[in-house]
Amino acid sequence: GGDSVSSGRTNMLPPAPHAFNIIENPSFEQSSSTAAAYWEKDIKGMQSQYDLTVAGNAHSGKKCLAIKGTVAGSGRWYNEDVYLIRGVKYHLSCWVKAAGDGVVGRIFFPAVRVNIDFDEKTASDWTRIDADFVAGKTGREAIFLLVNSGVGTVYFDDISIKITKPLRQGVGGLISRPGAKPITAIVIQDDCTITDYYLAFEVQRVLNVITGQELVIVSPSALSSPTG
């Protein structure tokens, strides 16, 4: 038994952090013909002319992101709500393809120095791009899917960023107030958002820095026993 830092019910088993894709709308199915939920778009450069659309020839499902360039320049889709935690190892993957002589697509994640180009020679059909990285800081970052140069069309689908090395789970024993039972867990709701989930990890990290102890993060969905 023991007290919990809780945002929901109290029954618990550790979740599997590596099972979570931290990208919202990763397959772009939540989209209209010209807009995708959680993703923004813009064109850089006065001479750029890019038709940014949600295409139908997807790698999976019915939709993918596309950038059709008619003049060499830089058009891009981007997501500014990628939440990373310092010291955690992640794996990035994304399916891409390119059509057009000289067109160059790019996955650009500046916060973790991921910068990967592809073109018609390397990705004339759907091809998966992969990269591993360790977050250098905790915070909200932006990832960009773009055309870097050339005339043609590039496509993006099924982008994923997942933890590949779950955080070490420790034994809690923190005291929340004089006379209270030790805090033994940080409890999150079964239906919590990605942001809630990662904020729980940040609470874990801060308490670890302050106290030297690391609380387990738990979910009420698969309880072995209630906490008291």
Side-chain angles (χ1 to χ4, degrees):
D3 290 347
S4 299
V5 178
S6 176
S7 61
R9 299 178 295 277
T10 56
N11 290 337
M12 65 186 201
L13 270 188
H18 55 279
F20 283 75
N21 182 0
I22 66 174
I23 297 290
E24 297 278 9
N25 194 21
S27 297
F28 314 110
E29 297 302 305
Q30 300 175 50
S31 307
S32 67
S33 61
T34 58
Y38 302 100
W39 293 85
E40 303 293 335
K41 59 186 179 181
D42 65 14
I43 295 174
K44 311 298 285 186
M46 295 297 292
Q47 300 302 315
S48 299
Q49 296 179 22
Y50 280 87
D51 179 21
L52 282 74
T53 61
V54 178
N57 55 344
H59 171 258
S60 71
K62 297 181 178 180
K63 299 176 181 178
C64 65
L65 291 189
I67 307 173
K68 182 180 180 181
T70 56
V71 174
S74 181
R76 63 187 186 176
W77 288 90
Y78 60 96
N79 183 329
E80 295 181 300
D81 294 317
V82 183
Y83 292 86
L84 302 178
I85 298 176
R86 178 176 61 84
V88 173
K89 185 176 181 180
Y90 297 86
H91 180 78
L92 162 68
S93 67
C94 184
W95 288 86
V96 301
K97 69 175 180 176
D101 186 22
V103 69
V104 178
R106 175 174 293 179
I107 297 175
F108 182 41
F109 199 2
V112 294
R113 298 177 182 174
V114 171
N115 191 2
I116 305 173
D117 287 351
F118 62 94
D119 56 23
E120 194 173 40
K121 294 179 181 178
T122 59
S124 60
D125 199 355
W126 285 110
T127 302
R128 196 176 79 178
I129 288 178
D130 296 275
D132 293 299
F133 63 88
V134 176
K137 63 178 181 178
T138 297
R140 176 173 173 254
E141 305 294 350
I143 189 168
F144 302 88
L145 311 177
L146 57 92
V147 167
N148 190 50
S149 62
V151 176
T153 305
V154 294
Y155 302 88
F156 303 87
D157 203 2
D158 298 326
I159 184 170
S160 172
I161 298 178
K162 295 182 179 181
I163 291 176
T164 56
K165 187 177 181 181
L167 294 179
R168 175 178 57 86
Q169 299 294 328
V171 177
L174 304 179
I175 304 298
S176 58
R177 59 188 181 277
K181 295 179 181 179
I183 298 173
T184 57
I186 301 167
V187 182
I188 58 175
Q189 294 182 350
D190 288 324
D191 59 351
C192 72
T193 66
I194 289 172
T195 300
D196 293 335
Y197 186 76
Y198 278 83
L199 286 175
F201 274 112
E202 179 62 2
V203 170
Q204 182 193 56
R205 186 190 69 80
V206 170
L207 290 176
N208 178 257
V209 170
I210 294 171
T211 68
Q213 298 185 59
E214 188 173 80
L215 295 176
V216 67
I217 297 174
V218 298
S219 171
S221 60
L223 282 192
S224 54
S225 62
T227 58

